[in-house]
């Protein structure tokens, strides 16, 4: 009779049973529909990732839904003892397959950790599963603005810090690595069943590393005194006029919270609350109220038209929802008969050498612009031919002086050495989010575009 070594599914079953006995049966689910939902994110935006990580190819053996930091720590302790992989997850709004459970095991759904507290100092402390939309409501009620939030405002704060980097507020405040995160409470995957808190620069091994160094359970984030923000819509006849105003916004006395721009090809699919002319270039700005008159004057002086200036704060959220890669998504939805992909790029060539940038790829190529702290970021949108052709554009874009990040891969690509060194202690068995922290990513993703 030979000894049987339990496989991952069997070990996961043992761990799930122990979690249910120890912490309660309501925390664990093996329901097929939930397993499928908890294994997928918005990586389907990438035609490359649709082929590599389609929904249903990589499934967990169980989903665990804790509601406290201590429960998270105990789940990790039990999983560690059974050698079971654990993939942490928030709302699943990531775009790169970061929460795909490549080795099965447990998916840790953190949305139950949704506490929110505005501190006397004005900072906000929140559970990792708290939605940023709810954090923003609480902060605004206390007279504060959170520094940065993503274009998908229903994202959890843990997911944003663990997997995101920039968004509304980035023009002034940079990325999630630039002081936004003041402290983190983390549950390690080391068998201890404990948590620990890091502050200041010690948060870096846990920011934008997809949970491979430990599971974030609570965060403290930076805020500013709340400002009055206005959603400004403008239209232009040509790219040069639009970009002239776009780049001028960096010298306003109060920087905008967001400044997005699109060519006519992207405009008709945008879900704007005001009429947008499909034959004109669109500029959309979240401007501080005292600067609106100046912004409008610059638009008119450049030959543009002010379409609307809306002071309702809810309107700034609607404008924000058309930023970053969202125009790409809306274009894909509006034209399912075509396969579009995008490449994330940053640099002044988008303002100054637009025709050369568009010539990097064949066919129809469009640029969606965002304003960063010193230069624009752009989603270069083109017809998809093949992975090889899409990635070949990286070198051609770099030759124009642009920084490039590929949204077509799931590997940790920031603080990689720091993450690897930290994980030796916090995840010695390599059980956290397997497949995301690798020694040599097969695709060079040219990281940190647009980050100061």
């Amino acid at each position: 009779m030979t000894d049987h070594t339990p496989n991952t599914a069997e070990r996961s079953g043992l761990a799930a049973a122990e979690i249910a006995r120890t912490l309660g049966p309501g925390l664990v689910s093996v329901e097929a529909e939930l397993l499928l939902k908890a294994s997928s994110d918005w990586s389907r935006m990438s035609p490359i990732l649709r082929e590599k990580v389609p929904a249903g190819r990589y499934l967990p053996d169980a989903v665990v839904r804790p509601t406290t930091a201590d429960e998270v720590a105990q789940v990790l302790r039990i999983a560690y003892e059974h050698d079971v992989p654990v993939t942490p997850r928030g709302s699943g709004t990531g775009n790169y397959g970061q929460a795909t459970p490549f080795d099965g095991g447990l998916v840790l759904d953190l949305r139950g950790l949704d506490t929110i507290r505005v501190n006397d100092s004005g900072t906000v402390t929140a559970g990792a599963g708290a939605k940023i939309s709810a954090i923003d409501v609480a902060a605004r009620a206390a007279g504060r603005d959170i520094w940065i939030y993503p274009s998908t405002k229903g994202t959890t704060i843990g997911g944003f810090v663990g997997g995101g980097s920039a968004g509304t507020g980035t023009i002034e405040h940079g990325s999630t690595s630039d002081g936004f995160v003041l402290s983190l409470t983390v549950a390690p995957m080391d068998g201890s069943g404990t948590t620990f808190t890091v502050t200041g620069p010690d948060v870096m091994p846990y920011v934008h590393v997809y949970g491979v160094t430990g599971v974030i359970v609570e965060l403290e984030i930076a805020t500013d005194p709340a400002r009055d923000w206005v959603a400004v819509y403008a239209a232009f006849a040509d790219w040069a006029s639009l970009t002239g105003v776009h780049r001028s916004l960096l010298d306003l006395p109060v920087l905008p919270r967001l400044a997005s721009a699109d060519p006519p090809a992207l405009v008709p699919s945008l879900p704007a609350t005001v009429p947008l002319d499909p034959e004109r270039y669109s500029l959309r700005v979240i401007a501080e109220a005292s600067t609106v008159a100046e912004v409008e004057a610059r638009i008119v002086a450049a030959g543009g038209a002010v379409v609307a200036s809306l002071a309702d704060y809810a309107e700034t959220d609607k404008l924000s929802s058309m930023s970053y890669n969202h125009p790409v998504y809306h274009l894909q939805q509006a034209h399912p008969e075509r396969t579009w992909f995008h490449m994330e790029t940053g640099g002044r060539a988008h303002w100054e050498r637009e025709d050369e940038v568009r010539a990097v790829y064949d066919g129809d190529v469009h640029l969606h612009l965002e304003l960063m702290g010193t230069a624009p970021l752009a989603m270069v949108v083109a017809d998809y031919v093949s992975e090889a052709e899409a990635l070949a554009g990286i070198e051609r874009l770099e030759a124009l002086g642009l920084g490039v990040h590929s949204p077509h891969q799931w590997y940790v690509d920031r603080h990689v050495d720091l993450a690897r060194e930290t994980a030796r202690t916090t995840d010695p068995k390599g059980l956290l989010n397997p497949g995301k922290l690798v020694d040599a990513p097969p695709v060079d993703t040219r990281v940190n575009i647009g980050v100061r």
Side-chain angles (χ1 to χ4, degrees):
M1 182 175 181
T2 59
D3 292 333
H4 171 68
T5 301
N7 60 30
T8 299
E10 291 169 332
R11 297 195 306 274
S12 297
L14 294 171
E18 185 175 343
I19 291 166
R21 287 195 306 270
T22 305
L23 301 176
L27 267 68
V28 180
S29 175
V30 294
E31 196 271 317
E33 185 176 348
L34 180 60
L35 297 183
L36 177 60
K37 184 175 181 180
S39 66
S40 306
D41 64 9
W42 283 84
S43 58
R44 57 186 178 274
M45 279 191 64
S46 162
I48 295 171
L49 295 182
R50 282 204 301 272
E51 298 171 0
K52 294 184 175 183
V53 289
R57 177 170 294 174
Y58 300 98
L59 295 173
D61 300 299
V63 176
V64 182
R65 295 179 285 190
T67 59
T68 68
D70 183 64
E71 287 178 347
V72 173
Q74 294 308 311
V75 168
L76 295 186
R77 176 188 61 78
I78 293 168
Y80 182 88
E81 292 172 354
H82 289 276
D83 291 329
V84 170
V86 175
T87 302
R89 176 186 173 89
S91 295
T93 59
N95 303 120
Y96 313 130
Q98 305 104 312
T100 304
F102 287 141
D103 289 355
L106 307 179
V107 161
L108 192 61
D109 182 341
L110 296 164
R111 288 176 296 171
L113 282 70
D114 59 358
T115 58
I116 300 170
R117 181 177 73 253
V118 182
N119 302 309
D120 291 342
S121 63
T123 63
V124 174
T125 299
K131 289 188 175 183
I132 293 175
S133 54
I135 295 173
D136 189 52
V137 168
R140 293 281 295 182
R144 308 297 298 184
D145 277 336
I146 57 176
W147 269 20
I148 316 169
Y149 60 85
S151 42
T152 304
K153 209 173 183 182
T155 295
T156 64
I157 186 62
F160 181 45
V161 168
S165 59
T168 302
T170 284
I171 299 170
E172 180 174 1
H173 293 299
S175 77
T176 51
S177 298
D178 293 324
F180 175 60
V181 183
L182 302 174
S183 70
L184 293 172
T185 300
V186 178
M189 186 65 152
D190 60 0
S192 66
T194 63
T195 63
F196 60 86
T197 299
V198 290
T199 62
D202 292 336
V203 306
M204 282 302 100
Y206 309 96
V207 175
H208 199 82
V209 295
Y210 313 159
V212 300
T213 53
V215 176
I216 298 170
V217 294
E218 189 174 74
L219 313 84
E220 182 185 9
I221 58 173
T223 71
D224 283 325
R227 293 166 171 162
D228 293 325
W229 298 105
V230 178
V232 179
Y233 290 80
F236 294 85
D238 57 75
W239 185 258
S241 300
L242 178 148
T243 55
V245 175
H246 194 245
R247 66 197 302 174
S248 81
L249 300 176
L250 288 172
D251 66 20
L252 289 170
V254 181
L255 288 171
R257 213 173 190 189
L258 185 80
S260 305
D262 288 289
L266 300 183
V267 171
S269 55
L270 295 174
T273 58
V274 300
L276 300 182
D277 189 335
E279 296 183 358
R280 291 168 69 84
Y281 293 80
S282 171
L283 174 66
R284 305 175 300 282
V285 183
I286 301 179
E288 195 271 333
S290 69
T291 68
V292 170
E294 175 62 21
V295 172
E296 292 178 338
R298 294 182 187 187
I299 292 166
V300 173
V306 177
V307 177
S309 293
L310 309 174
D312 183 352
Y313 186 74
E315 291 293 340
T316 66
D317 275 351
K318 294 172 184 176
L319 189 152
S320 179
S321 71
M322 294 179 284
S323 64
Y324 287 84
N325 60 2
H326 283 216
V328 182
Y329 167 75
H330 293 304
L331 180 70
Q332 291 173 332
Q333 294 300 107
H335 295 282
E337 74 282 2
R338 298 179 68 172
T339 303
W340 298 95
F341 80 99
H342 73 282
M343 197 66 74
E344 299 173 359
T345 64
R348 300 177 71 87
H350 296 309
W351 284 335
E352 299 163 354
R353 304 166 69 184
E354 174 243 356
D355 288 341
E356 292 176 73
V357 175
R358 290 195 299 105
V360 162
Y361 292 109
D362 293 332
D364 295 330
V365 179
H366 313 295
L367 304 183
H368 164 78
L369 286 190
E370 295 291 342
L371 191 61
M372 306 296 277
T374 58
L377 176 147
M379 306 297 167
V380 179
V381 188
D383 284 299
Y384 181 67
V385 177
S386 67
E387 178 181 11
E389 176 58 20
L391 298 183
I394 292 177
E395 187 172 344
R396 298 192 288 264
L397 290 162
E398 286 193 317
L400 297 173
L402 294 169
V404 183
H405 175 264
S406 170
H408 309 292
Q409 54 80 34
W410 53 78
Y411 306 101
V412 172
D413 56 11
R414 296 189 183 182
H415 323 301
V416 178
D417 292 339
L418 185 58
R420 190 178 294 112
E421 180 63 30
T422 302
R424 290 192 179 101
T425 301
T426 58
D427 182 27
K429 292 183 179 180
L431 293 171
L432 281 176
N433 210 356
K436 311 311 189 303
L437 183 60
V438 297
D439 289 333
V443 177
D444 183 352
T445 57
R446 314 299 209 274
V447 301
N448 291 334
I449 58 168
V451 178
R452 294 194 297 270

